[in-house]
Amino acid sequence: MLQRKIPSTGEAIPAIGLGTWQTFDVSGDPNSLAPLSEVFREFLSTGGRLVDSSPMYGRAEETVGLLSEILSSAERKKIFFATKVWVRGEAAGKSQIQASFKKMRTDRVDLFQIHNLLDTETHLKTLRSLKEEGKVRYVGLTHFTPSSFSEMERIASREKVDFLQIPYSVVTRSAENRILPFAQENRIGILVNRPFEEGGLFRKTKGKILPEYFREWGCESFAQAFLKYILSHPGVTCVIPATAKLSHLQDNLKAGLGNFPDQKERKRFLSNLLDSLES
């Protein structure tokens, strides 16, 4: 799979991760966990590492913890744990952060992010302290709307962060104009959420045949084409589509293989995709 370096350290991680919004919010009974366990193992065995969650996502953190606990030690070591803090106040923030460690059943979280910029300055102090202790490796900021990009830039210009998590897709491309160039200039990693517009892109391509053009780029599905366009931007570190279905996971991961359009070819690649969406 395509590897991208985290700008602040040079550490390489696989460019396709696994989101957990809605898909991992299940009860802890064996019947509910079984299909997700299959997805989790396949993700790790085929080169995936970064798993992104949040206390906002219901039981998702607990599900990640339960699934990771039944892995072998070698499999578990592959996981790049990423989660978030999403509450106001220092005491409440510290409590929620500690709860995330417990729920995910880990002593170290690779990436801790401040969800939707909520009480950012307060939580940055706590996360920096945990980073110094070695309990957190990277610190980041997240938001799900492009309208928050200016605030993300303002904070990231003043405070040292390792990652920004943003929305970016073939139809939501404002990140290309400001936040992606900003991140590249300031050596900040980018995680991409909502790459499929929460399924909206698939509703527009339902029943359509993937044009032959995309097969030249190793794409076998629209999902792979959507992800390959995102990953073709050099400022993107990792994209995190969420799924609970093994077939969808396998499809998504293939987008990290083969060739990617360069800056010039991206325009043609995008044009073909938009034509498919509008036809």
Side-chain angles (χ1 to χ4, degrees):
M1 188 191 296
L2 174 70
Q3 303 279 314
R4 285 280 165 81
K5 290 183 178 180
I6 299 172
S8 62
T9 63
E11 177 186 358
I13 59 172
I16 297 180
L18 181 62
T20 60
W21 165 239
Q22 295 184 324
T23 54
F24 275 50
D25 183 15
V26 301
S27 65
D29 66 89
N31 288 335
S32 298
L33 290 176
L36 289 175
S37 179
E38 193 175 18
V39 165
F40 209 60
R41 287 183 181 276
E42 179 75 4
F43 173 68
L44 296 172
S45 68
T46 52
R49 285 191 61 208
L50 191 151
V51 180
D52 179 77
S53 195
S54 170
M56 181 188 179
Y57 301 169
R59 291 180 53 88
E61 287 181 314
E62 295 170 76
T63 300
V64 170
L66 288 169
L67 295 177
S68 65
E69 195 173 51
I70 61 177
L71 297 173
S72 68
S73 58
E75 289 175 314
R76 185 177 171 80
K77 286 179 181 178
K78 295 179 182 179
I79 303 172
F80 188 104
F81 289 98
T83 193
K84 309 173 185 78
V85 55
W86 187 61
V87 70
R88 290 191 182 277
E90 182 180 1
K94 288 181 177 179
S95 178
Q96 189 177 75
I97 288 167
Q98 291 306 312
S100 291
F101 279 95
K102 185 175 181 179
K103 289 176 182 177
M104 299 180 82
R105 307 192 183 202
T106 181
D107 294 327
R108 186 179 73 176
V109 171
D110 295 283
L111 169 61
F112 229 113
Q113 304 152 98
I114 300 170
H115 200 87
N116 292 347
L117 306 179
L118 185 64
D119 207 357
T120 302
E121 292 186 10
T122 298
H123 300 319
L124 277 175
K125 294 177 183 177
T126 300
L127 293 177
R128 284 200 189 99
S129 178
L130 289 171
K131 191 174 182 181
E132 290 175 1
E133 294 174 23
K135 294 180 179 179
V136 169
R137 298 178 61 223
Y138 298 103
V139 173
L141 310 173
T142 84
H143 214 283
F144 67 100
T145 62
S147 60
S148 296
F149 288 170
S150 59
E151 179 65 5
M152 293 184 94
E153 288 182 20
R154 186 188 69 80
I155 295 170
S157 294
R158 187 182 70 245
E159 309 281 358
K160 182 174 175 56
V161 297
D162 302 292
F163 277 92
L164 300 176
Q165 184 178 143
I166 61 166
Y168 180 35
S169 75
V170 297
V171 296
T172 300
R173 303 188 304 277
S174 56
E176 296 176 348
N177 299 323
R178 58 177 310 166
I179 202 75
L180 283 167
F182 169 82
Q184 288 178 284
E185 291 170 7
N186 291 275
R187 298 182 58 78
I188 301 173
I190 290 286
L191 296 188
V192 171
N193 57 40
R194 305 184 69 187
F196 302 136
E197 297 291 322
E198 296 186 337
L201 297 182
F202 297 130
R203 288 189 284 275
K204 292 183 177 181
T205 56
K206 186 177 181 179
K208 297 179 181 179
I209 298 174
L210 184 72
E212 193 63 30
Y213 166 81
F214 296 106
R215 300 189 185 279
E216 299 174 17
W217 294 95
C219 297
E220 301 173 351
S221 68
F222 278 107
Q224 291 173 31
F226 295 143
L227 292 174
K228 187 152 284 201
Y229 175 76
I230 293 169
L231 291 173
S232 68
H233 195 294
V236 172
T237 310
C238 182
V239 59
I240 49 173
T243 184
K245 295 184 178 180
L246 182 61
S247 60
H248 291 175
L249 173 79
Q250 292 169 331
D251 190 25
N252 292 342
L253 291 175
K254 289 179 181 178
L257 306 175
N259 297 324
F260 293 82
D262 58 20
Q263 197 61 32
K264 182 179 180 181
E265 185 63 26
R266 288 184 90 236
K267 295 180 180 179
R268 184 181 173 204
F269 196 97
L270 176 62
S271 178
N272 277 275
L273 270 178
L274 295 179
D275 286 346
S276 295
L277 290 172
E278 296 166 3
S279 64

